[in-house]
């Protein structure tokens, strides 16, 4: 009660410098994540001299785009206390939409159709979850199955090739030496950060995840923004589909498989609570990087790729454990 | 030797002293009422006994041995169990499994047949009225039955002491009767029962002895309940600080303010007017109005539809019928957002569940309603900086310490002030407050009261729901009593006391038995039958049957005229045993006092006849009425 608050301020004033740093670390997810990235990078560069070369870093950037795009949408959904298991399938089906549309309608329109179909399926998720009051796990699990099935149906279970150069340029070009797709990722995260920090909608997402009933009584539009989170998750899956197509120059109905778990892992490593209300978009980006670094590092060390799952899984569990220790009993994830 | 003895118990929460040298003794075979106003420390003491809280100092002795519980588990092992409002049952398990749940922790296979036998034996011990099927799922049980399962669970653990913390709040009168029978049964079996409550009627009906707490210390210790009167008990609970708590000390100012308001009320259009509002199932037919600068209390029992009325005004619940008018214009909000933009604020009952956003700082919690009302896409938090600073100093909240901190680390009173400030930031026209001082210590309560008066003085209309009749009377200018979703009366708080409010608020089912008697009287003898209370030259009419204008006593249900203004002043003045005939009219009136089970005053039942010709024998009729009332009560209990 009031005593604890007084004690806390008193303790904070008395703290030594290292203790203050520790306090800062305990309260700032972003700081923690940046530190973790530095540690991981330092470790990997010691183990493998190749890690910190420009070539490898470009490689790492390249690998983080698709996972990063999907994780961005997943962050919004997890912030409101939901979860989206359908993002991988939505990437698959919207990639197929892209592949079916570009030969007839040209690349720009096809990309729009691709994005619209992702957002539309996300909208269906959001509407059913919000108005049907069904657990997001169940609804998106269903959509995961539907999306993948539609990808096979629409594509006739065969892959689509002959990707136009203009699409390929998205991942091939670079600006000042930085890959264009990576720049897109950074811009997307910057916009998301701005939105979550300074926009009414962003704060509403946090409030919904933290206490939806209180948010409703305070007059926030919780239905609108809950649905919006799922729409953005679907949209970002479609964005990932565009970059995926541009990168591998082929569209396959299995595209995007496994992204749902990767994206949830990145969000959780990034310090978000699966119960909603707590998390940060910067943390998610760091989570994406950490996952890519670990995979990259294991590759460089010639460790069998079968070990990657064990490594990533251990990090997820460790991240949540650390989160719990740092925030005391307050952690709910 | 007493079963349980607590001496000199101290418990502090930060700067707040919850218990200041409290004492309590409990004998085997008694029901001991633990009484006090909101925030007096009775729940804290109950939680110390049950091991949920550890006292800072003081000693607890169980049958003479000094004990110290580190947690509820130890208390349960020592034979102390607590039955609370929010039950701690597993809803998806059967009654049997819940009763025997502690056995599940013992290694080895479960002997289901023995457990079933044991459970049946316990139910039998409780008395046949328990009526709980042991195979039923707890989810399917009514609240009252769940409490019985909790009691059974306590008995299965061989608990000798059972604490009931406000057990009747969610119960219907019938369930309450059944619970009381069970408690009496347990006492007869030699258990020690602690009954925590602030409902006077229940204390008199049930308890053998009463301990009154006031501001953490004992105002009366283990007094035989029989020796107390309701008035004494109220005085003991409230003490002489009543005027301080409700900021009535600056009477001069508030009286003139009230007088201004009084004249305003008649001339100005109300800010809020409900007519025949219904929002089933709880809100049936509510009419009331709140004027600018007025604090109106919405009193009644739990389940009377008070919170639901607020929720309907605030757009959280759809109205099915009737009208809501805001500043004279029809208003039917479809969402809280519409209500907020129309200038309404709601301080919800469940602060934790509906009021606070735990992951937000105090600043953002303060700005939450601003965010809801704000029309732009950004936050515009900065625009409120000045207003926040002013508000915090008005509320006496330290700005530096508060704004970046986590709201949950503050006391209930502090949190409530922040939530209040959340709405004040928007300069509302109408504030709806649902149990605004629940879980708030007495010092902060007092400052919340004076704050509300101040807000009202600035012209805000306030509608306050409270289960605490004392609070309603102390805080509000006028009180609207709801009973079973219908407004029963609207009465200036200066004219009413706790007993009268309680009788107005009686749930329909319980008032029904009196109503039945009135109907029979009126049908048999013609004329008008009524149920009234008389206090300080004023008659309070709780119910009336009979529409014959010739036999009109001059008041009907919900009215509270002065005796002189009625048509039967002589009878009301004299209150003789037989019929009293008015000197200046032909009206003859018989008044029969109504007594509760344990003999406390429940007002009077009256019969007014028009004419001398066939006036029946007063004394015989009075006896018949008293018997009739008694019979109805027995029927209700059965």
């Amino acid at each position: 009660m009031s005593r604890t608050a007084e004690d806390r301020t008193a303790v904070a004033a008395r703290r030594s410098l290292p203790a203050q740093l520790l306090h800062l670390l305990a309260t700032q997810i972003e700081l923690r994540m940046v530190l973790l990235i530095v540690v991981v990078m330092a470790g990997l560069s010691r183990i493998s001299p190749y890690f910190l070369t420009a070539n490898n870093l470009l490689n790492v950037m390249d690998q983080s785009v698709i996972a990063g795009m999907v994780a961005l949408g997943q962050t919004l959904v997890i912030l409101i206390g939901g979860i989206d298991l359908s993002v991988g399938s939505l990437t698959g089906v919207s990639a197929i939409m892209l592949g079916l549309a570009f030969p007839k309608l040209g690349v720009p329109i096809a990309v729009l159709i691709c994005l619209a179909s992702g957002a539309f399926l996300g909208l269906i998720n959001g509407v059913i979850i919000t108005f049907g009051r069904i657990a997001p796990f169940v609804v998106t699990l269903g959509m995961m199955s539907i999306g993948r099935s539609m990808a096979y149906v629409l594509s006739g279970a065969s892959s689509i090739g002959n990707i136009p150069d203009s699409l390929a340029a998205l991942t091939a070009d670079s600006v000042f030496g930085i890959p264009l797709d990576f720049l897109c990722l950074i811009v997307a995260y910057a916009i998301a950060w701005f939105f979550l920090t300074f926009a009414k909608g962003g704060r509403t997402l946090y409030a919904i995840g933290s206490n939806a009933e209180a948010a409703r009584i305070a007059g926030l539009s919780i239905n609108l923004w809950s649905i919006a989170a799922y729409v953005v998750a679907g949209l970002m899956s479609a964005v990932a589909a565009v970059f995926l197509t541009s990168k591998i120059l082929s569209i396959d109905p299995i595209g995007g498989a496994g992204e749902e778990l990767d994206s949830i892992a990145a969000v959780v490593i990034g310090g978000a609570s699966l119960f909603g209300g707590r998390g940060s978009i910067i943390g998610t980006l760091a989570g994406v990087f950490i996952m890519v670094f670990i995979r990259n590092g294991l590759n460089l060390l010639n460790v069998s790729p079968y070990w990657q799952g064990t490594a990533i899984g251990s990090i997820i569990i460790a991240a949540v454990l650390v989160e719990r220790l740092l925030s005391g009993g307050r952690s709910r994830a | 030797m007493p079963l349980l003895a607590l001496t000199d118990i101290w418990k502090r929460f930060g700067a707040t002293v919850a218990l200041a040298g409290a004492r309590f003794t409990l004998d085997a075979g008694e029901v001991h009422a633990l009484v006090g106003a909101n925030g007096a420390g009775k729940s804290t003491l109950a939680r110390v006994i049950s091991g949920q809280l550890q006292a800072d100092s003081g000693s607890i002795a169980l049958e003479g041995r000094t004990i110290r519980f580190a947690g509820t588990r130890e208390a349960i092992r020592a034979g102390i169990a607590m039955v609370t409002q929010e039950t701690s049952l597993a809803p998806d398990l059967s009654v049997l499994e819940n009763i025997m749940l502690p056995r599940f922790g013992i290694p080895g296979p479960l002997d289901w047949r023995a457990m079933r036998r044991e459970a049946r034996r316990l139910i039998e011990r409780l008395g046949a009225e328990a009526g709980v099927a042991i195979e039923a799922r707890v989810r399917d049980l009514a609240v009252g039955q769940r409490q019985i399962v909790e009691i059974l669970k306590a008995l299965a653990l061989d608990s000798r002491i059972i604490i009931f913390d406000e057990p009747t709040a969610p119960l219907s009168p019938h369930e309450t009767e059944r619970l009381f029978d069970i408690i009496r049964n347990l006492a007869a079996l030699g258990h020690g029962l602690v009954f925590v409550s602030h409902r006077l009627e229940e204390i008199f009906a049930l308890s053998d002895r009463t301990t009154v707490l006031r501001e953490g210390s004992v105002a009366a210790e283990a007094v035989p309940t029989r020796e107390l009167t309701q008035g004494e008990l109220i005085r003991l609970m409230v003490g002489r600080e009543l005027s301080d708590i409700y900021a009535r000390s600056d009477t001069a100012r508030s009286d003139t303010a009230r007088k201004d308001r009084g004249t305003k009320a008649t001339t100005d259009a109300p800010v809020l007017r409900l007519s025949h509002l219904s929002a089933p199932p709880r809100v049936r037919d509510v009419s009331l109005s709140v004027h600018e600068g007025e604090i109106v209390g919405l009193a009644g029992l739990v389940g009377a539809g008070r919170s639901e009325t607020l929720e309907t005004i605030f757009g959280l619940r759809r109205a099915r019928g009737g009208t809501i008018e805001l500043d004279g214009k029809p208003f039917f909000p479809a969402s809280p957002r519409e209500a907020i933009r129309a200038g309404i604020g709601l301080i919800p009952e469940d602060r934790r569940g509906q009021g606070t956003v735990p992951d937000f700082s105090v600043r953002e919690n303060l700005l939450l309603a601003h965010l809801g009302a704000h029309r732009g896409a950004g936050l515009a938090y900065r625009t409120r900086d000045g207003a926040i600073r002013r508000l915090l100093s008005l509320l006496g909240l330290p700005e530096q310490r508060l704004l970046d901190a986590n709201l949950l680390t503050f006391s209930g009173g502090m949190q409530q002030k922040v939530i209040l400030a959340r709405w004040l930031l928007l300069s509302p026209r109408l504030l709806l407050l649902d149990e605004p001082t629940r879980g708030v210590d007495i010092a902060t309560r007092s400052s919340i009261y004076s704050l509300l008066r101040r807000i009202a003085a600035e012209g805000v209309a306030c509608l306050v729901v409270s289960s605490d009749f004392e609070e309603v009377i102390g805080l509000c200018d006028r009180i609207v009593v709801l009973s079973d979703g219908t407004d029963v009366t609207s009465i200036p708080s200066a004219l009413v006391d706790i007993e009268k409010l309680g009788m107005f608020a009686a749930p329909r089912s319980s008032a029904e038995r009196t109503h039945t008697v009135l109907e029979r009287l009126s049908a048999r003898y013609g004329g008008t039958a009524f149920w009234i209370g008389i206090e300080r030259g004023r008659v309070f009419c709780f119910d009336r049957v009979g529409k014959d204008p010739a036999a009109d006593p001059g008041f009907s249900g919900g009215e509270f005229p002065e005796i002189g203004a009625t048509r039967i002043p002589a009878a009301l003045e004299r209150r003789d045993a037989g019929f009293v005939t008015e000197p200046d009219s032909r009206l003859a009136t018989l008044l029969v006092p109504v007594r509760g089970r344990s003999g406390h005053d429940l007002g009077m039942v009256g019969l007014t006849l028009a004419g001398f010709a066939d006036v029946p024998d007063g004394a015989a009729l009075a006896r018949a009425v008293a018997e009739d009332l008694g019979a109805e009560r027995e029927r209700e209990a059965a």
Side-chain angles (χ1 to χ4, degrees), chain A residues 75-164:
Chain A
T75 306
L76 304 191
V77 171
I78 286 179
L79 272 183
I80 63 168
I83 197 155
D84 193 340
L85 298 177
S86 68
V87 285
S89 296
L90 295 195
T91 300
V93 71
S94 46
I96 298 293
M97 294 300 286
L98 177 67
L100 294 177
F102 75 74
K104 292 168 203 133
L105 303 167
V107 169
I109 305 257
V111 166
L112 280 181
I113 287 174
C114 166
L115 298 182
S117 57
F120 177 72
L121 293 174
L123 178 71
I124 292 178
N125 274 338
V127 167
I128 294 176
I129 289 164
T130 307
F131 292 114
R133 299 200 182 155
I134 303 176
F137 189 96
V138 176
V139 174
T140 58
L141 184 68
M143 184 59 83
M144 176 179 172
S145 177
I146 293 168
R148 188 60 66 198
S149 153
M150 291 314 292
Y152 280 109
V153 170
L154 290 172
S155 66
S158 57
S159 44
I160 300 164
N162 296 324
I163 305 302

Side-chain angles (χ1 to χ4, degrees), chain B residues 170-188:
Chain B
L171 299 188
S172 72
H174 188 75
E175 286 175 318
T176 303
E177 278 299 332
R178 197 165 61 174
L179 178 69
F180 283 8
D181 284 339
I182 287 171
I183 292 179
R184 285 189 202 104
N185 237 334
L186 288 171

Side-chain angles (χ1 to χ4, degrees), chain B residues 346-390:
Chain B
L346 171 73
I347 289 156
E349 179 178 8
D350 176 2
R351 192 161 46 235
R352 183 82 190 248
Q354 302 176 292
T356 54
V357 178
D359 295 304
F360 276 12
S361 66
V362 172
R363 178 191 298 274
E364 257 195 307
N365 264 295
L366 248 172
L367 286 158
L368 199 64
H370 153 80
L371 202 59
H374 181 58
R375 285 169 197 272
L379 299 175
Y381 282 175
R382 284 285 159 76
T383 58
R384 301 284 190 178
D385 274 355
I388 286 179
R389 217 166 292 133
R390 274 196 303 281

Side-chain angles (χ1 to χ4, degrees), chain B residues 488-602:
Chain B
V488 188
T489 186
S490 164
I491 186 166
S493 56
L495 297 182
V496 77
D497 58 18
I498 294 179
E499 287 102 330
K500 303 287 173 301
L501 272 191
M503 284 184 243
F504 277 125
R508 185 175 289 172
S509 45
S510 144
E512 209 118 86
R513 63 189 187 214
T514 321
H515 191 77
T516 317
V517 173
L518 297 186
E519 270 175 349
R520 270 190 225 138
L521 268 178
S522 171
R524 178 127 175 242
Y525 301 102
T528 316
F530 47 83
W531 176 31
I532 55 167
I534 298 173
E535 185 93 22
R536 279 175 292 161
R538 206 172 266 281
V539 53
F540 297 84
C541 181
F542 308 121
D543 197 1
R544 173 188 154 173
V545 175
K547 291 203 167 71
D548 182 7
D552 181 14
F555 47 79
S556 45
E559 292 180 352
F560 41 88
E562 285 181 13
I563 286 179
T566 67
R567 296 186 61 206
I568 51 168
L572 294 175
E573 237 16 293
R574 281 164 54 190
R575 276 169 259 167
D576 282 351
F579 270 95
V580 174
T581 306
E582 300 301 317
D584 51 353
S585 72
R586 289 161 47 84
L587 290 177
T589 303
L590 175 73
L591 293 176
V592 183
V594 187
R595 300 244 162 243
R597 259 194 176 179
S598 52
H600 60 283
D601 179 21
L602 283 177

